[in-house]
Amino acid sequence: MPPLPNICPSSIASDQFVTLAHGEGGRAARRLIEERIVPRLKSTVAGELTDAATLPPLAGQPVMTTDSYVVSPIFFPGGDIGKLAVYGTANDLAVSGARPLWASLALILEEGLSMATLEQVLDSIAAAAESTGVQVVTGDTKVVPRGAADGIFVTTTGLGQLLNRAPAGPQSLQSGDRIIASGPIGRHGMAILAAREGLGFDPLPTSDCGSLWPAVKALHDAGCQVRAMRDATRGGAAGVLQEWAAACQRTMAIDEAAIPLAAEVRGACELLGLDPLHLANEGTMLVAASPEEESQVLETLRGAGGCAEATVIGQVVARSSVPVFVRRGRGVEIPLEEPQGMPLPRIC
Amino acid sequence: MPPLPNICPSSIASDQFVTLAHGEGGRAARRLIEERIVPRLKSTVAGELTDAATLPPLAGQPVMTTDSYVVSPIFFPGGDIGKLAVYGTANDLAVSGARPLWASLALILEEGLSMATLEQVLDSIAAAAESTGVQVVTGDTKVVPRGAADGIFVTTTGLGQLLNRAPAGPQSLQSGDRIIASGPIGRHGMAILAAREGLGFDPLPTSDCGSLWPAVKALHDAGCQVRAMRDATRGGAAGVLQEWAAACQRTMAIDEAAIPLAAEVRGACELLGLDPLHLANEGTMLVAASPEEESQVLETLRGAGGCAEATVIGQVVARSSVPVFVRRGRGVEIPLEEPQGMPLPRIC
């Protein structure tokens, strides 16, 4: 069948760059999948990678979540779009009280993307999946013409199994409950901002991109009864606090001096006039727990990987005129606004 | 928090167009989801649309599949990107022998997309999901700057439950097995080609975009023991035949005169020099069955919705020097080549 003129001028397969031919149903597409994608993900999966994966029966209720990742730049200090996609999806399952088990991987590639970049992202996906116990069981690859996408977009869907003791959720929050940050906040947002804008900070802010599953598992194994957990991604900690305040019809009172911050995030925020509560995180969560559970939750989190700096940053109080306020210097209580849009597109 | 200059010049929310603000974690994003997306999908789902959906326990093995849809144009005769995404994902589950139950929906929107277009796609997603018994249980929305995507990309992941009698698969094909097309082939590929290139055919070719679940369910309920089923999407029927030949190490012998074709697809293929076996389908499958099962499979398919023209188009024979051949006019056997890349990017 002769190619039609003016439809796909660059449908010739290439070994170094992704071409439109790699996205269609022919030999080039099959070779891309069989030779470059499947071997890199094989280590994560017990069976074969197929168009539709038949999985072992689940002992408990399934939990499903999905996210598209369009982060720019693709590679940033502390991570890349592949690592972000796997951990982001695993974290959504974990904070919902589910053990992450399986993931699907859908790639949208721009014609002209270098194979080396694709392979680096795939290796990163495989490493993150393995480290957090997730098998990449099925996938899809599309290629769009130059200019119709920006390099690579990754959509991961996660499937997990509900633990036998999932959090009751933010609607169950009571006055007096402690609000705990699992670690320093704002690192991912600041890392992306600095990388994208070429801000010459020294040291460079590094993303917290990582798995929350070890921390959630530790809380579960220790029998901690937390009321709510939420990874503070887009919208930052502020977004989670607004959501919790709306769900329980109480006010979230945050103590600015208690918020854990990396030195470089603190410095950059002061310089740029940004509030770290508004910056995205990709491996840091907020946890709400009763005063009775506080010490066990903190101790358990600090003993779990990656949460050594877990600390109480505020508490739930009776509903006042504002849903969230921050006690700043000299005890002044300032309402925390929900921004219209964030100043930083494409952070994840 | 004042917006940083030069980072997000158009982060102001708009009611008529998608803006970068709609993709971030603030108020505009929440309003887009709460006011425009959730109400349109609500009819498909029993509970709430959440970041991670906890689902009822599954009685059988879970089956998972994912696809990104980047079709251009977004609307085409017979369907649109939303209908295509839902049916495409449901069909992948169905031909794997699973009942489609749940789907996730991840949207990548280009800044400037009209809200009317977004809403039309969402309505189409809801209608398709309802008609095929799928609940859209979780989702994600990202917005990328103008020029970083093309209008709208949709990624759907489907979760289904394995039927108690799934096909053994193409590796089980035996010489003498019948190869059945569930309906006229090549309709989707030709519809996209005609729409994109403005080819003035009369009547205009219409996509077969539709659900194969009713046909698969009918075969299952009738106790038909088919060996393999496969929706003939990218790569067309030719792609499926190549894959089956490789899996069973036999040859697929197709009879050109037996292939069901819509008159407008036949005419357009002759005019353009295209082979309908290479054109994509989005609601048509190939089924392989033993000679003993042939009549019951045909009768069952023809009685199921949308497969009235199901017919035998060839059979499996002992391995010859070519994996797939087509018996064309005057009995000449022509090898069916696997194309390097297809002449038509972005058909799904």
Side-chain angles (χ1 to χ4, degrees), chain B:
Chain B
M1 179 170 54
L4 290 171
N6 301 324
I7 292 185
C8 181
S10 52
S11 69
I12 307 308
S14 153
D15 273 350
Q16 290 184 19
F17 298 96
V18 172
T19 67
L20 290 174
H22 289 114
E24 302 310 322
R27 189 182 302 149
R30 192 166 48 75
R31 283 192 52 195
L32 174 71
I33 293 166
E34 285 176 7
E35 293 173 17
R36 299 197 191 244
I37 299 181
V38 170
R40 284 189 164 70
L41 299 175
K42 217 170 187 168
S43 58
T44 77
V45 63
E48 271 183 39
L49 264 168
T50 54
D51 207 36
T54 300
L55 305 169
L58 274 167
Q61 285 183 258
V63 180
M64 187 180 194
T65 187
T66 196
D67 272 297
S68 286
Y69 293 86
V70 298
V71 66
S72 169
I74 296 170
F75 301 97
F76 49 84
D80 58 58
I81 195 171
K83 180 179 175 185
L84 190 63
V86 172
Y87 287 143
T89 292
N91 289 349
D92 278 348
L93 293 175
V95 299
S96 302
R99 174 191 298 267
L101 290 172
W102 301 297
S104 64
L105 174 68
L107 302 172
I108 298 174
L109 310 177
E110 184 187 10
E111 178 191 17
L113 180 76
S114 85
M115 284 291 178
T117 299
L118 174 61
E119 290 177 352
Q120 203 176 333
V121 170
L122 288 167
D123 286 340
S124 174
I125 286 170
E130 275 193 89
S131 89
T132 197
V134 165
Q135 298 187 1
V136 180
V137 290
T138 186
D140 180 54
T141 308
K142 292 292 190 315
V143 182
V144 295
R146 228 176 274 270
D150 188 13
I152 177 169
F153 298 152
V154 176
T155 302
T156 37
T157 303
L159 188 58
Q161 180 177 311
L162 197 65
L163 300 171
N164 50 12
R165 227 176 22 255
Q171 70 289 350
S172 73
L173 295 189
Q174 304 295 323
S175 296
D177 280 356
R178 305 309 195 232
I179 300 165
I180 295 165
S182 70
I185 68 167
R187 291 177 57 202
H188 180 71
M190 191 54 80
I192 295 295
L193 177 58
R196 194 183 308 160
E197 300 298 311
L199 305 177
F201 295 119
D202 184 19
L204 214 54
T206 305
S207 171
D208 60 333
C209 179
S211 178
L212 287 166
W213 169 239
V216 170
K217 183 176 186 300
L219 289 173
H220 180 260
D221 291 350
C224 293
Q225 296 280 6
V226 306
R227 293 216 213 268
M229 298 184 284
R230 187 67 190 268
D231 50 336
T233 55
R234 274 190 293 180
V240 176
L241 294 169
Q242 292 285 353
E243 211 178 293
W244 285 4
C248 70
Q249 286 300 306
R250 289 183 164 76
T251 286
M252 308 288 127
I254 303 302
D255 183 3
E256 188 178 41
I259 299 171
L261 287 178
E264 61 272 22
V265 171
R266 184 187 303 275
C269 277
E270 280 169 6
L271 202 69
L272 298 170
L274 293 172
D275 187 337
L277 287 167
H278 283 125
L279 292 177
N281 308 273
E282 287 291 347
T284 306
M285 63 177 166
L286 296 190
V287 178
S290 69
E292 296 74 35
E293 294 276 332
E294 176 189 332
S295 64
Q296 200 199 346
V297 169
L298 282 177
E299 196 182 313
T300 306
L301 282 175
R302 287 170 186 164
C307 300
E309 295 178 64
T311 191
V312 173
I313 62 165
Q315 55 181 302
V316 182
V317 298
R319 184 61 181 236
S320 73
S321 57
V322 291
V324 184
F325 68 78
V326 181
R327 213 170 275 123
R328 307 225 181 239
R330 296 185 306 278
V332 187
E333 292 174 357
I334 313 272
L336 187 68
E337 296 292 341
E338 183 183 27
Q340 267 283 43
M342 298 297 292
L344 198 58
R346 299 185 63 189
I347 47 170
C348 58

Side-chain angles (χ1 to χ4, degrees), chain A residues 10-342:
Chain A
S10 52
S11 69
I12 307 306
S14 153
D15 273 350
Q16 291 186 16
F17 299 96
V18 172
T19 67
L20 290 174
H22 289 113
E24 303 309 322
R27 190 182 303 148
R30 193 166 47 75
R31 284 192 53 196
L32 174 71
I33 293 165
E34 285 176 6
E35 293 172 17
R36 299 196 191 245
I37 299 181
V38 170
R40 283 188 166 72
L41 299 175
K42 218 170 187 171
S43 58
T44 77
V45 63
E48 271 182 40
L49 265 167
T50 55
D51 208 36
T54 301
L55 305 169
L58 275 167
Q61 285 183 258
V63 181
M64 188 181 193
T65 187
T66 196
D67 272 298
S68 285
Y69 293 87
V70 298
V71 65
S72 170
I74 297 170
F75 301 97
F76 49 83
D80 58 59
I81 194 171
K83 180 178 175 184
L84 190 63
V86 171
Y87 286 143
T89 293
N91 289 349
D92 278 348
L93 293 176
V95 298
S96 302
R99 174 191 297 266
L101 290 171
W102 301 296
S104 64
L105 175 67
L107 302 172
I108 297 175
L109 310 178
E110 183 187 12
E111 177 190 18
L113 179 75
S114 85
M115 285 290 177
T117 299
L118 174 61
E119 291 177 351
Q120 203 177 335
V121 170
L122 288 166
D123 286 341
S124 173
I125 287 170
E130 276 193 88
S131 90
T132 196
V134 165
Q135 299 187 1
V136 180
V137 290
T138 187
D140 180 53
T141 309
K142 292 292 192 311
V143 181
V144 295
R146 226 177 275 269
D150 188 13
I152 178 169
F153 297 153
V154 176
T155 303
T156 37
T157 304
L159 187 59
Q161 180 178 312
L162 196 66
L163 299 171
N164 51 12
R165 228 179 21 256
Q171 71 287 354
S172 72
L173 295 188
Q174 304 295 323
S175 296
D177 280 355
R178 305 308 194 235
I179 300 166
I180 296 165
S182 70
I185 68 168
R187 292 177 57 201
H188 180 72
M190 190 54 81
I192 295 294
L193 177 58
R196 193 182 308 160
E197 301 297 312
L199 306 177
F201 295 119
D202 184 18
L204 215 55
T206 304
S207 171
D208 60 333
C209 179
S211 177
L212 287 166
W213 169 239
V216 171
K217 184 176 185 300
L219 289 173
H220 179 260
D221 292 350
C224 294
Q225 296 279 6
V226 306
R227 293 218 212 266
M229 297 184 285
R230 188 66 190 269
D231 49 337
T233 55
R234 274 191 292 181
V240 175
L241 294 168
Q242 292 285 354
E243 212 178 291
W244 285 4
C248 70
Q249 287 299 307
R250 289 184 163 76
T251 286
M252 308 289 127
I254 302 302
D255 183 3
E256 188 177 41
I259 298 172
L261 287 178
E264 60 272 22
V265 171
R266 183 187 304 274
C269 278
E270 280 169 6
L271 202 68
L272 298 169
L274 294 172
D275 185 338
L277 287 167
H278 283 124
L279 292 178
N281 307 273
E282 287 291 346
T284 305
M285 62 178 168
L286 297 190
V287 177
S290 68
E292 297 74 33
E293 294 277 330
E294 175 188 333
S295 65
Q296 201 199 348
V297 169
L298 282 177
E299 195 181 314
T300 305
L301 282 175
R302 287 171 186 163
C307 301
E309 295 179 64
T311 190
V312 173
I313 63 166
Q315 56 179 301
V316 181
V317 298
R319 184 63 180 234
S320 73
S321 57
V322 290
V324 184
F325 68 77
V326 180
R327 213 169 276 121
R328 306 224 182 240
R330 295 182 307 275
V332 187
E333 292 175 358
I334 313 272
L336 187 66
E337 295 293 341
E338 183 183 27
Q340 268 283 36
M342 298 298 290

